[in-house]
Amino acid sequence: MQLLRIATLAVVAIGLQAQAPMPPPVTHVMAILTVKDGVDRSEMTKVMPKEVRDTVQLHLDGRIDQWYARGDGKGVVFILNAKTVDEAKSFMEGLPLVQGKFASFDYMTLGPLSPLRILLAPPAR
């Protein structure tokens, strides 16, 4: 709870600064896989063994850092070791579910929570 208060204060303080904050450095890319509506699940299950093997290989290669099932049951979420969306696409778009047009990805860059920098600033006098 204390950390939440500190983070909230940091966000407010950053918002009060006259200059726009610099964007954080990109450290990861989040890839959200969504199974397309109307997909024939019996056809999709035919490619799942290769999908799983290829996904595990990406993890073992250090490309996939974390992976989660979506709470809505419509796909998965990956946290990727990539610095750009284009880099992430270069290895994720080759997966069998995407190649077979069963699913697609949405991507988002991630980085450190920049407002926390305010905690490192010297106190105002």
PDB file of all heavy atoms in Angstrom, residues 30 54 103 118:
ATOM      1  N   MET A  30       5.322  -6.524 -25.002  1.00  0.00           N
ATOM      2  CA  MET A  30       4.230  -7.416 -24.659  1.00  0.00           C
ATOM      3  C   MET A  30       3.515  -7.791 -25.957  1.00  0.00           C
ATOM      4  O   MET A  30       3.194  -6.920 -26.766  1.00  0.00           O
ATOM      5  CB  MET A  30       3.241  -6.741 -23.697  1.00  0.00           C
ATOM      6  CG  MET A  30       2.077  -7.636 -23.324  1.00  0.00           C
ATOM      7  SD  MET A  30       1.030  -7.003 -21.979  1.00  0.00           S
ATOM      8  CE  MET A  30       0.629  -5.368 -22.546  1.00  0.00           C
ATOM      9  N   ASP A  54       7.332 -24.720 -31.007  1.00  0.00           N
ATOM     10  CA  ASP A  54       7.974 -23.477 -31.446  1.00  0.00           C
ATOM     11  C   ASP A  54       7.991 -22.435 -30.331  1.00  0.00           C
ATOM     12  O   ASP A  54       8.965 -21.689 -30.176  1.00  0.00           O
ATOM     13  CB  ASP A  54       7.261 -22.911 -32.675  1.00  0.00           C
ATOM     14  CG  ASP A  54       7.482 -23.745 -33.931  1.00  0.00           C
ATOM     15  OD1 ASP A  54       8.220 -24.765 -33.865  1.00  0.00           O
ATOM     16  OD2 ASP A  54       6.901 -23.388 -34.974  1.00  0.00           O
ATOM     17  N   ALA A 103      -4.928 -16.903 -35.476  1.00  0.00           N
ATOM     18  CA  ALA A 103      -4.757 -15.916 -34.415  1.00  0.00           C
ATOM     19  C   ALA A 103      -3.929 -14.754 -34.930  1.00  0.00           C
ATOM     20  O   ALA A 103      -3.295 -14.838 -35.987  1.00  0.00           O
ATOM     21  CB  ALA A 103      -4.064 -16.556 -33.211  1.00  0.00           C
ATOM     22  N   ILE A 118      11.136  10.504  -9.770  1.00  0.00           N
ATOM     23  CA  ILE A 118      10.939  11.616  -8.831  1.00  0.00           C
ATOM     24  C   ILE A 118      11.448  11.245  -7.432  1.00  0.00           C
ATOM     25  O   ILE A 118      11.875  12.102  -6.669  1.00  0.00           O
ATOM     26  CB  ILE A 118       9.456  12.072  -8.792  1.00  0.00           C
ATOM     27  CG1 ILE A 118       9.318  13.426  -8.138  1.00  0.00           C
ATOM     28  CG2 ILE A 118       8.593  11.091  -8.046  1.00  0.00           C
ATOM     29  CD1 ILE A 118       9.584  14.556  -9.050  1.00  0.00           C
TER      30      ILE A 118
END
